[in-house]
């Protein structure tokens, strides 16, 4: 009986634990991208356009451990930019997903991150 009870408890707890761990990893991407956004705004205030590379920004944020970082994209560097990070490696059954950010912040429609992994903004 004790083994069955422990099995049922483990069955309920493991998925919640995996989701919590993956949510923390997703928060890493959101924190990184929020710092990039702040750097982009400062760069735009100084130069009149957004930076085309992270190295042009005045922020020194470490590359996220669990994500690969793409390159900035834009069709008009004076008014907009976009950056996408992609989950690298095992993701507790969530698969590969992306988080997309632009001058307005998190871009839900261009991201593939699961709804329950998005940190409270």
């Amino acid at each position: 009986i004790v083994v069955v009870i422990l099995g049922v408890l483990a069955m309920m707890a493991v998925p919640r634990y995996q989701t919590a761990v993956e949510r923390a990893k997703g928060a890493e991407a959101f924190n990184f991208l929020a710092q990039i956004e702040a750097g982009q705004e400062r760069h735009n205030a100084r130069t009149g356009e957004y930076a085309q590379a992270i190295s042009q920004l005045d922020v020194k944020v470490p590359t996220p451990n669990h994500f690969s970082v793409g390159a900035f994209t834009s069709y008009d560097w004076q008014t907009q930019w976009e950056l996408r990070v992609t989950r690298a490696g095992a993701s507790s059954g969530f698969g590969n997903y992306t988080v997309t950010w632009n001058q307005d912040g998190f871009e839900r429609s261009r991201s593939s991150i699961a709804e329950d992994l998005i940190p409270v903004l």
Side-chain angles (χ1 to χ4, degrees):
I1 292 176
V2 171
V3 171
V4 170
I5 292 172
L6 289 175
V8 169
L9 290 174
M11 221 170 56
M12 292 173 14
V14 169
R16 287 184 184 188
Y17 172 76
Q18 289 175 328
T19 300
V21 168
E22 195 60 34
R23 186 177 298 124
K25 291 177 181 176
E28 174 189 32
F30 279 76
N31 290 332
F32 172 79
L33 291 166
Q35 290 181 47
I36 295 297
E37 179 186 7
Q40 278 285 40
E41 292 306 320
R42 288 189 299 274
H43 187 275
N44 188 4
R46 282 192 316 271
T47 67
E49 65 180 22
Y50 290 110
Q52 297 181 27
I54 292 176
S55 60
Q56 295 176 311
L57 300 176
D58 63 355
V59 293
K60 301 296 182 226
V61 290
T63 304
N65 292 326
H66 305 289
F67 292 83
S68 60
V69 180
F72 287 125
T73 58
S74 177
Y75 60 84
D76 181 1
W77 290 104
Q78 292 180 339
T79 60
Q80 62 94 33
W81 61 275
E82 183 175 280
L83 182 63
R84 180 176 291 176
V85 296
T86 304
R87 177 71 165 95
S91 60
S92 302
F94 290 98
N96 292 337
Y97 59 85
T98 61
V99 179
T100 305
W101 209 272
N102 62 28
Q103 68 283 347
D104 299 322
F106 174 56
E107 183 62 39
R108 178 70 188 119
S109 65
R110 297 184 48 80
S111 301
S112 63
I113 186 170
E115 199 67 40
D116 57 342
L117 296 182
I118 298 173
V120 177
L121 299 176

